[in-house]
Amino acid sequence: MEQEFMTAVAEKNLAKVRMALTNELLLDPRGTTFSKMLDYAQNELPNLFDENKEANYTVPSSQEDWDEDFLFTVKTDLDSNFSKEKLAFYEKVVEIVGKEKVQKIEQEEIKLKEQKAAESQPNQQRPNNKTYATISAGGATLAIIGLVAGKTLLTVVGGAALIVGGVLLLNGIKENK
């Protein structure tokens, strides 16, 4: 729950509280945050709701005909007469019209959870770094033995292994950062 909403409740700014509640359902049609905000407002503001008046619109006979235009008609009527009955109907309309948005929000949350899980797991490149370090060390050892023994081919092969292992090791370190 945002501080701005809690401040509006504390200041008993009914217009701001009511607008925040209706807008919250548009932002997240699942209604989780909305329910918490509504409970908080009801506990703090005994005069949150108006007496219900007749709506100045007609409701389409089938919920399949409910669309964003109808949703905003219901919201406008609710904004002018914030009654429990109209708020309950508005919630139902948002639930029906906002189904696609709910799916998008849930898919985004799944992606975020997967990203966080991938980030929190140990990096899979570390075993390769050990391998690259071993190649470098082995190459250095061969190069030293080749130098001491006076074997040019052994020195060249050891030097090449040292360079290749070192480059791979540095690239692996860069990727892990």
Side-chain angles (χ1 to χ4, degrees):
M1 195 172 338
E2 292 186 16
Q3 183 61 42
E4 187 176 340
F5 176 75
M6 292 172 27
T7 301
V9 171
E11 293 173 352
K12 301 194 183 319
N13 186 337
L14 286 177
K16 200 169 190 177
V17 170
R18 291 170 175 175
M19 192 66 65
L21 286 167
T22 58
N23 287 340
E24 183 61 31
L25 271 177
L26 290 178
L27 294 172
D28 187 352
R30 297 175 297 177
T32 307
T33 308
F34 165 80
S35 295
K36 292 176 185 174
M37 291 169 65
L38 181 60
D39 287 343
Y40 180 74
Q42 284 178 311
N43 288 332
E44 300 295 320
L45 301 170
N47 60 337
L48 179 63
F49 294 104
D50 295 331
E51 185 177 321
N52 191 37
K53 297 178 184 170
E54 188 174 335
N56 58 359
Y57 58 86
T58 56
V59 178
S61 57
S62 172
Q63 290 181 353
E64 292 173 3
D65 295 331
W66 293 2
D67 58 12
E68 283 189 11
D69 289 336
F70 178 64
L71 171 66
F72 285 107
T73 299
V74 173
K75 183 181 184 313
T76 301
D77 186 54
L78 176 62
D79 289 342
S80 65
N81 178 223
F82 199 83
S83 67
K84 287 183 180 182
E85 296 83 0
K86 288 185 179 176
L87 181 60
F89 183 64
Y90 175 70
E91 286 181 77
K92 181 68 176 168
V93 174
V94 168
E95 179 184 329
I96 300 297
V97 175
K99 279 183 182 178
E100 288 180 19
K101 188 169 186 174
V102 166
Q103 290 173 345
K104 285 180 184 178
I105 291 171
E106 289 174 350
Q107 287 172 349
E108 289 173 7
E109 286 181 350
I110 289 170
K111 285 180 185 178
L112 283 174
K113 286 179 183 177
E114 288 172 351
Q115 286 175 345
K116 286 181 181 179
E119 290 171 2
S120 67
Q121 288 185 359
N123 199 326
Q124 299 299 322
Q125 295 298 322
R126 290 191 181 146
N128 288 339
N129 288 347
K130 287 181 181 178
T131 303
Y132 301 153
T134 304
I135 290 171
S136 296
T141 304
L142 284 177
I144 291 170
I145 292 172
L147 284 172
V148 170
K151 303 290 183 183
T152 307
L153 182 61
L154 193 57
T155 304
V156 170
V157 170
L162 173 62
I163 292 170
V164 169
V167 168
L168 292 172
L169 182 61
L170 288 173
N171 284 339
I173 290 170
K174 286 180 183 177
E175 287 178 11
N176 288 338
K177 289 185 178 181

